[in-house]
Amino acid sequence: MMALRFLPLVCAGEIFELKAELNSDKKEKKKEAVKKVIASMTVGKDVSALFPDVVNCMQTDNLELKKLVYLYLMNYAKSQPDMAIMAVNTFVKDCEDPNPLIRALAVRTMGCIRVDKITEYLCEPLRKCLKDEDPYVRKTAAVCVAKLHDINAQLVEDQGFLDTLKDLISDSNPMVVANAVAALSEIAESHPNSNLLDLNPQTINKLLTALNECTEWGQIFILDCLANYTPRDDRESQSICERVTPRLSHANSAVVLSAVKVLMKFMEMLPKDLDYYGTLLKKLAPPLVTLLSAEPELQYVALRNINLIVQRRPEILKHEMKVFFVKYNDPIYVKLEKLDIMIRLASQANIAQVLAELKEYATEVDVDFVRKAVRAIGRCAIKVEQSAERCVSTLLDLIQTKVNYVVQEAIVVIKDIFRKYPNKYESVIATLCENLDSLDEPEARAAMIWIVGEYAERIDNADELLESFLEGFHDESTQVQLQLLTAIVKLFLKKPTETQELVQQVLSLATQDSDNPDLRDRGYIYWRLLSTDPVAAKEVVLAEKPLISEETDLIEPTLLEELICHIGTLASVYHKPPSAFVEGSRGVQHKRLPGSAGSGESVESPDTGSAAGVSDAPPAVIPSQGDLLGDLLNLDLTPPATTGPPPPAPSGMQLGAMDLLGGGLDSLMGDESEPPPIPLRADTPQSPQIPHQSPSPPDYSPTELGGDLGGSAAMGAGFGAPPAATPASFSAPVSGGLDDLFDLGGGVGMPMGGYSPPKTVWLPVMKGKGLEISGTFARRAGVIQMEMTLTNKAMSVMTDFAIQFNRNSFGLAPAGPLQVLNPLSPNQSIEVTLPLSTVGPVMKMDPLNNLQVAVKNNIDVFYFSCQYPISMLFVEDGKMERQVFLTTWKEIPNDSEAQFQIKDCHLSSDAASNKLQSSNIFTIAKRTVDGQDLLYQSTKLSNGIWILAELRVQTGNPNFTVCLKCRAPEVSQYVFQSYEAMLKN
């Protein structure tokens, strides 16, 4: 109203009148003039010409006038720094005014005027105000320290304001404490490595005491600070949770979310069998439900946060499904978020209720929402197996509605259901084929083509259906073209006599008439496969596909941990870490949840508790290169205290006892708690494994291996009587029996230098902003080494190199800093060797030998992933005793056995044995049967996993056969790759 009242006068151009009024002796007239100036300034008019006249009005006792003048000063001081100096004396004088409101106003305004010349004069008044007797002045001064630090950080440190700010945390007034915490937190954000908020139990107690009495925003500052504290034990964690819990009933939703953040973090340290843990879970649900009764914008923020909470702890809201049911008047963004949470909470107990809701949603008028609802039905089928039949029935009902977009979405999700439950619901294919002509969306057409190709043997007119798509091949999208190519090749492999013309037609279209390189390449691969080795083509194209899982859309666990630590902030709405969207020079801290009680992060038991901590974690979903794991970003650039040789590897028995694959051998073999791997695309060729018959007689029945194969002296002592049957290749007597068979007639020498693959480019120049990194891995004298070539192809010098690995399957970690001693000049290359240890943190990767790396220099932090040959992990003490080898071979089940072919290998058995021994694959025995040499070999990984092998070498035949037996069968594929690389290079 004030702006409208005074604006006409100012707009008339009466600057001179204003000047006269500002210099008037009458206080009331002067105040009115200042109001006119502020009104003009508010609407964007330049009134900087009146600066000296307005500054003269500061000398007044009228608080309202003083506020207006200070407002004007804050706006124009930066453009008129020399004139602003005139006001300094008044500021200093006002800082000693008897009225605390004026003292606070003066120090606040001085902090807001970002002019260096004024900053120098601010120090003394600020020091006095920080120790003022009035709490209002002290709380204002505390915030002013943060503002001053932003202008001149060095000045604040030199003047000792940071220490004074820390002292204010012990202030008797809760609002002063809250502002001191807010100021220190703000400063700490711009200096992540400074330990400004030195949180200890005494400080935490003071903050918790102030929490009950300060304002709502003060409570948020304190709660955010508490969330950065890591309690010493579960008892302290429980105590803090008990004192924070009352904040859940606060009217301000920001306070509630901040309290939830603290509780979610500290719950990690509480034992799950504790009574209080269950009580806390029950207390968290009502406040989160209450947030959903607010206006839509707040609901959306609450839902995005709840989405994270449900992924971490679904048990909190498992009984609250109904509150996430969609209301007719909900905005679309709220509807879609509720739908997502409903699927996350779906279980066998509530699936009937959920499906009834989703079926109702599928009849709505909002097309986007209907599509999501139909897709949600498919996700429920994949997540809750018991509901799959009901979901398929519901989808068929929806298809009968003949609504075009509903039919197309239903077909897409039915394809996923077929992937999850093969050979179970194929009876619906006929219904799907009836709707073939109505499909016009690429995804739906591609899904239908996949179904026809996958189940071609069950569809009488499959060739006609696919031929109808082929007529407009060049008008289809790439997705449909690729799927059509694969489907027709599948059809040909299943019905070769009837579809030869069709497959030639599609291969011709894909290779000769197409400009798309992906399509052309795939066409050539299929053509080459079919023309050279139809059997191999069948094994590749018709290979068994991995089952898909609902868990693949979960946020990656490490990122989820970081986002849980940012509940109530923008990061929790975007579902991205702050570093992904915060720009500027300020350092971004990467937070993680503390280790749970008894987890691998516990100081007391680093080995024994690890399995418990991992088994409860969400499924390990491998992220895309675009959003690498959060802890990979958290580079610790300070050099270690010692830079000597890497720590010695633990003994075999120690490694066998450690949980080095996120749940031990069970996890590596894929126990029930592990999610199935992320599926390849349906049309992705997979490397075939040759069907293998065990060398054991048919009546051989293996027993479970008792104990760890860690290499202890007592190995095999507790196995009991050996099974009656032995492997066929061991059964024929040679010379003096088994003892002679395993007497190689001489000791095995020390291994020579093992095979090291050639260097490949890991970080290309484009991604590295001029830095190119190529490298390889080698094992020399028992030490794993990462050998890299760093090349600077930028125009500037590169310095300050550091490296960090993400958690990986075998605990690989740098054993020392990255030694780049001299600056890397433009167009210069440098060779760097980094020793590695195998005692780092562990997380099962996909593929198993994947390593995600962060390299930092003075330009930026760069991320890349590379794959190390598993032979780098073959340890020097991998030669198994011969009797133990026999017993172990018989004890490992047949289904843990795999056979592979190594082609075009022109080596004798002795040459092959020597080559493999140089890389720590030891030959235990050699035997010749019918002109075929049989080598029995053992090797051991750095984490204590043993691999037993039988290598068959036929004289004059360049194709070797290797049969691998291992308690962790997932390793076999990678061991075979190492065998092949060593023998061929």
Side-chain angles (χ1 to χ4, degrees):
M1 288 301 293
M2 181 182 77
L4 292 174
R5 179 180 158 198
F6 294 109
L7 190 58
L9 184 63
V10 178
C11 287
E14 300 181 2
I15 291 286
F16 292 108
E17 276 188 31
L18 279 174
K19 206 176 187 77
E21 287 178 24
L22 287 170
N23 292 308
S24 170
D25 295 331
K26 294 179 182 177
K27 289 183 180 179
E28 202 57 42
K29 202 169 184 181
K30 190 180 284 189
K31 188 163 80 172
E32 291 296 307
V34 173
K35 284 183 180 179
K36 292 174 187 176
V37 172
I38 297 298
S40 186
M41 181 184 80
T42 306
V43 295
K45 187 173 175 64
D46 182 13
V47 284
S48 56
L50 298 171
F51 195 94
D53 304 289
V54 176
V55 168
N56 286 337
C57 298
M58 285 178 71
Q59 306 288 345
T60 177
D61 296 329
N62 187 302
L63 186 58
E64 185 184 0
L65 180 57
K66 197 175 281 285
K67 282 182 179 179
L68 290 170
V69 174
Y70 280 0
L71 185 61
Y72 179 90
L73 274 173
M74 281 190 275
N75 196 50
Y76 283 114
K78 197 166 186 178
S79 60
Q80 307 260 0
D82 295 329
M83 297 293 292
I85 296 293
M86 294 166 49
V88 166
N89 287 334
T90 309
F91 279 131
V92 174
K93 184 180 171 186
D94 283 354
C95 285
E96 297 177 356
D97 195 276
N99 186 340
L101 292 175
I102 291 179
R103 295 202 298 273
L105 181 64
V107 77
R108 180 191 290 125
T109 308
M110 287 182 82
C112 291
I113 297 175
R114 303 176 67 86
V115 176
D116 290 336
K117 293 179 180 177
I118 290 187
T119 304
E120 298 167 14
Y121 296 98
L122 175 60
C123 296
E124 279 311 311
L126 181 58
R127 186 175 284 106
K128 288 179 184 176
C129 290
L130 283 168
K131 296 178 180 176
D132 197 281
E133 59 186 18
D134 192 280
Y136 181 77
V137 179
R138 293 200 300 276
K139 83 175 183 68
T140 307
V143 176
C144 190
V145 173
K147 291 177 180 176
L148 183 60
H149 187 275
D150 197 37
I151 301 167
N152 191 336
Q154 193 60 47
L155 179 68
V156 170
E157 290 168 21
D158 294 344
Q159 293 288 336
F161 288 145
L162 294 180
D163 294 327
T164 312
L165 211 50
K166 290 178 187 176
D167 294 340
L168 288 181
I169 291 178
S170 306
D171 198 277
S172 57
N173 186 283
M175 269 315 300
V176 177
V177 175
N179 279 23
V181 167
L184 285 170
S185 300
E186 179 80 14
I187 294 168
E189 273 184 26
S190 58
H191 293 70
N193 297 324
S194 62
N195 193 20
L196 290 177
L197 276 165
D198 186 16
L199 298 175
N200 53 54
Q202 293 74 31
T203 309
I204 293 297
N205 191 44
K206 290 171 186 172
L207 295 181
L208 289 166
T209 304
L211 186 63
N212 298 320
E213 300 173 35
C214 58
T215 65
E216 52 194 22
W217 295 112
Q219 290 180 32
I220 293 167
F221 289 133
I222 291 176
L223 287 167
D224 286 348
C225 181
L226 287 172
N228 293 326
Y229 176 62
T230 304
R232 294 167 301 176
D233 51 35
D234 56 346
R235 186 176 298 176
E236 186 185 6
S237 184
Q238 181 177 340
S239 170
I240 294 172
C241 287
E242 287 170 348
R243 296 177 71 176
V244 169
T245 306
R247 300 301 107 208
L248 292 174
S249 56
H250 201 283
N252 188 319
S253 54
V255 176
V256 174
L257 285 176
S258 293
V260 168
K261 172 168 61 181
V262 174
L263 296 174
M264 284 291 290
K265 182 175 180 181
F266 290 175
M267 278 173 72
E268 296 290 328
M269 296 192 67
L270 297 178
K272 292 192 174 178
D273 54 357
L274 196 68
D275 290 341
Y276 180 71
Y277 181 86
T279 307
L280 194 54
L281 285 178
K282 290 176 185 174
K283 286 183 177 178
L284 276 169
L288 292 173
V289 170
T290 305
L291 291 176
L292 299 182
S293 58
E295 53 268 31
E297 293 78 11
L298 279 180
Q299 276 188 58
Y300 179 72
V301 172
L303 287 166
R304 292 293 282 175
N305 282 275
I306 288 170
N307 200 326
L308 298 174
I309 293 164
V310 164
Q311 288 186 55
R312 185 71 189 177
R313 298 203 179 279
E315 62 270 27
I316 292 175
L317 290 161
K318 65 180 178 182
H319 300 303
E320 304 292 343
M321 176 64 83
K322 281 190 176 180
V323 300
F324 298 106
F325 285 174
V326 171
K327 297 175 184 173
Y328 76 95
N329 59 347
D330 280 340
I332 184 65
Y333 54 87
V334 171
K335 285 181 177 179
L336 296 178
E337 204 59 38
K338 282 185 175 180
L339 207 55
D340 200 32
I341 295 170
M342 281 172 64
I343 298 162
R344 297 203 190 286
L345 291 176
S347 63
Q348 196 175 345
N350 57 27
I351 193 66
Q353 201 177 21
V354 171
L355 277 180
E357 273 296 302
L358 293 176
K359 190 172 180 181
E360 193 69 30
Y361 299 159
T363 61
E364 291 273 342
V365 292
D366 190 319
V367 176
D368 287 338
F369 181 55
V370 171
R371 287 178 182 276
K372 289 280 185 182
V374 175
R375 202 155 283 208
I377 295 171
R379 285 174 63 186
C380 286
I382 293 166
K383 183 176 182 183
V384 186
E385 186 171 350
Q386 296 80 357
S387 74
E389 194 165 338
R390 189 181 297 177
C391 291
V392 171
S393 174
T394 305
L395 289 168
L396 288 176
D397 290 345
L398 292 172
I399 287 174
Q400 296 304 328
T401 64
K402 302 295 182 184
V403 178
N404 188 265
Y405 54 86
V406 173
V407 172
Q408 304 202 75
E409 283 297 329
I411 287 174
V412 171
V413 297
I414 286 175
K415 182 205 76 170
D416 291 338
I417 293 172
F418 285 169
R419 286 288 308 276
K420 175 69 174 177
Y421 308 108
N423 304 315
K424 200 169 181 183
Y425 299 109
E426 282 70 29
S427 57
V428 307
I429 291 175
T431 310
L432 303 182
C433 290
E434 291 171 9
N435 295 277
L436 209 57
D437 296 334
S438 64
L439 305 181
D440 53 22
E441 293 174 10
E443 192 176 7
R445 290 172 74 84
M448 193 66 226
I449 291 167
W450 181 88
I451 292 169
V452 173
E454 189 67 17
Y455 300 101
E457 70 277 12
R458 304 186 188 195
I459 304 172
D460 295 335
N461 62 337
D463 52 342
E464 294 174 14
L465 295 176
L466 293 177
E467 196 170 0
S468 67
F469 284 103
L470 204 57
E471 290 167 4
F473 186 78
H474 291 301
D475 299 325
E476 300 284 2
S477 68
T478 304
Q479 180 182 9
V480 176
Q481 289 176 335
L482 288 167
Q483 201 62 262
L484 189 55
L485 172 62
T486 302
I488 291 176
V489 171
K490 285 180 185 175
L491 177 64
F492 172 70
L493 291 168
K494 291 174 181 179
K495 301 178 179 180
T497 54
E498 304 163 28
T499 54
Q500 194 163 349
E501 282 186 24
L502 190 63
V503 78
Q504 286 178 339
Q505 187 182 353
V506 76
L507 288 172
S508 175
L509 286 168
T511 55
Q512 296 170 20
D513 303 341
S514 174
D515 296 330
N516 187 307
D518 291 338
L519 183 64
R520 203 167 53 239
D521 288 352
R522 189 181 294 188
Y524 279 127
I525 288 169
Y526 284 151
W527 203 320
R528 195 69 56 84
L529 263 176
L530 293 170
S531 59
T532 55
D533 192 348
V535 176
K538 201 164 189 175
E539 288 180 349
V540 171
V541 180
L542 301 181
E544 188 177 340
K545 292 158 191 65
L547 301 180
I548 63 171
S549 164
E550 164 62 19
E551 309 299 348
T552 51
D553 72 326
L554 293 175
I555 293 174
E556 187 278 322
T558 315
L559 175 59
L560 181 61
E561 284 188 9
E562 184 173 357
L563 293 177
I564 290 289
C565 295
H566 288 293
I567 282 177
T569 69
L570 205 54
S572 67
V573 178
Y574 286 163
H575 286 189
K576 292 180 180 178
S579 56
F581 57 88
V582 175
E583 293 184 357
S585 58
R586 295 194 170 203
V588 178
Q589 289 175 292
H590 297 276
K591 304 178 182 180
R592 287 190 59 196
L593 296 174
S596 56
S599 78
E601 295 177 42
S602 168
V603 178
E604 291 82 359
S605 56
D607 294 338
T608 56
S610 181
V614 175
S615 63
D616 290 328
V621 181
I622 305 301
S624 65
Q625 191 68 16
D627 59 79
L628 274 152
L629 306 184
D631 60 350
L632 187 60
L633 305 172
N634 191 12
L635 282 167
D636 181 9
L637 301 178
T638 53
T642 60
T643 56
S651 69
M653 193 62 197
Q654 288 171 317
L655 278 169
M658 288 176 73
D659 176 17
L660 284 188
L661 284 171
L665 295 179
D666 292 337
S667 174
L668 181 60
M669 292 186 289
D671 67 357
E672 293 178 12
S673 65
E674 276 288 318
I678 297 176
L680 298 168
R681 292 188 322 201
D683 50 1
T684 305
Q686 301 177 39
S687 55
Q689 287 193 10
I690 298 163
H692 174 60
Q693 298 297 323
S694 169
S696 312
D699 59 343
Y700 170 53
S701 173
T703 57
E704 274 296 290
L705 180 62
D708 182 19
L709 291 180
S712 68
M715 187 187 296
F719 293 156
T726 57
S729 46
F730 293 143
S731 56
V734 177
S735 294
L738 293 176
D739 289 343
D740 282 342
L741 170 64
F742 280 90
D743 184 5
L744 294 178
V748 178
M750 287 300 289
M752 304 171 290
Y755 166 70
S756 177
K759 285 185 179 177
T760 56
V761 175
W762 288 341
L763 179 69
V765 175
M766 294 298 291
K767 285 190 176 180
K769 296 184 180 177
L771 173 65
E772 181 182 271
I773 301 178
S774 56
T776 185
F777 294 86
R779 188 178 184 95
R780 307 194 194 284
V783 177
I784 305 170
Q785 295 179 342
M786 190 179 194
E787 298 177 348
M788 293 178 283
T789 302
L790 309 183
T791 305
N792 181 0
K793 295 186 179 179
M795 301 299 291
S796 56
V797 175
M798 295 183 180
T799 58
D800 304 328
F801 283 89
I803 192 167
Q804 183 166 314
F805 294 174
N806 191 18
R807 293 180 293 173
N808 53 80
S809 303
F810 294 93
L812 285 179
L818 188 61
Q819 298 282 3
V820 183
L821 303 178
N822 299 315
L824 191 59
S825 304
N827 298 316
Q828 183 187 359
S829 294
I830 187 171
E831 303 289 330
V832 181
T833 299
L834 179 71
L836 307 180
S837 70
T838 54
V839 292
V842 171
M843 181 176 75
K844 184 179 173 185
M845 301 297 285
D846 183 15
L848 209 59
N849 59 341
N850 194 34
L851 182 66
Q852 293 175 330
V853 183
V855 171
K856 177 257 178 195
N857 62 13
N858 59 318
I859 295 173
D860 205 346
V861 182
F862 307 106
Y863 309 102
F864 61 86
S865 59
C866 54
Q867 293 181 10
Y868 49 90
I870 210 164
S871 57
M872 298 303 108
L873 306 171
F874 295 169
V875 295
E876 282 67 24
D877 61 343
K879 186 174 182 183
M880 189 179 273
E881 294 293 330
R882 57 193 175 194
Q883 191 57 46
V884 175
F885 183 97
L886 260 179
T887 309
T888 305
W889 183 280
K890 290 181 281 188
E891 294 291 346
I892 294 179
N894 289 355
D895 55 8
S896 296
E897 184 176 333
Q899 180 172 306
F900 304 90
Q901 285 274 12
I902 301 173
K903 297 183 178 181
D904 301 322
C905 188
H906 302 276
L907 291 174
S908 67
S909 59
D910 290 338
S913 177
N914 290 336
K915 249 192 174 187
L916 293 170
Q917 186 170 307
S918 69
S919 294
N920 296 333
I921 297 178
F922 299 95
T923 302
I924 312 296
K926 176 183 174 183
R927 178 180 173 205
T928 304
V929 177
D930 297 331
Q932 186 180 47
D933 289 342
L934 305 177
L935 302 181
Y936 298 99
Q937 299 172 318
S938 72
T939 188
K940 187 171 73 170
L941 299 181
S942 57
N943 61 349
I945 293 177
W946 285 89
I947 298 102
L948 311 186
E950 178 189 72
L951 182 65
R952 302 175 192 169
V953 182
Q954 181 82 41
T955 307
N957 185 350
N959 297 337
F960 290 8
T961 302
V962 60
C963 166
L964 299 174
K965 271 195 153 189
C966 179
R967 296 284 296 172
E970 286 188 24
V971 173
S972 298
Q973 176 70 30
Y974 302 94
V975 175
F976 158 65
Q977 290 168 5
S978 292
Y979 259 87
E980 192 172 38
M982 292 172 205
L983 293 174
K984 285 190 172 185
N985 292 282

